[in-house]
Amino acid sequence: MTDSTYDQLDSGIKLITTNSANLVILPADSGFDALRRQVTVRYSIRYGKIIAETVPAASTIRLAESEKVDFRR
């Protein structure tokens, strides 16, 4: 993926998060990370009040040993 594509994706996320009248908090390191992992909205805030909250999912891989994963690698 080119840098300009990454920047466009990141700008699109900023448009609906930090640059909006209300606020959406995503559990991601960047806009690209949010889209890549298709994260759910953690908090939705309107006029300074939390109007919706999603509890993060916990994923575990069970092979030879159990390992918690967050799909960030």
Side-chain angles (χ1 to χ4, degrees):
M1 188 169 291
T2 65
D3 285 342
S4 63
T5 303
Y6 173 83
D7 292 339
Q8 289 172 344
L9 291 172
D10 209 38
S11 294
I13 293 295
K14 286 179 182 175
L15 178 67
I16 61 171
T17 56
T18 57
N19 296 335
S20 67
N22 297 308
L23 180 65
V24 174
I25 298 175
L26 303 173
D29 297 329
S30 66
F32 178 76
D33 182 43
L35 292 172
R36 181 183 68 82
R37 293 188 297 120
Q38 299 180 6
V39 299
T40 57
V41 172
R42 180 70 174 98
Y43 296 100
S44 183
I45 299 171
R46 184 187 304 160
Y47 305 119
K49 296 185 182 199
I50 296 173
I51 61 168
E53 177 180 355
T54 303
V55 177
S59 298
T60 303
I61 293 177
R62 299 183 190 280
L63 298 173
E65 296 179 16
S66 292
E67 176 185 355
K68 291 201 183 291
V69 294
D70 62 9
F71 302 101
R72 292 180 186 242
R73 294 192 244 174

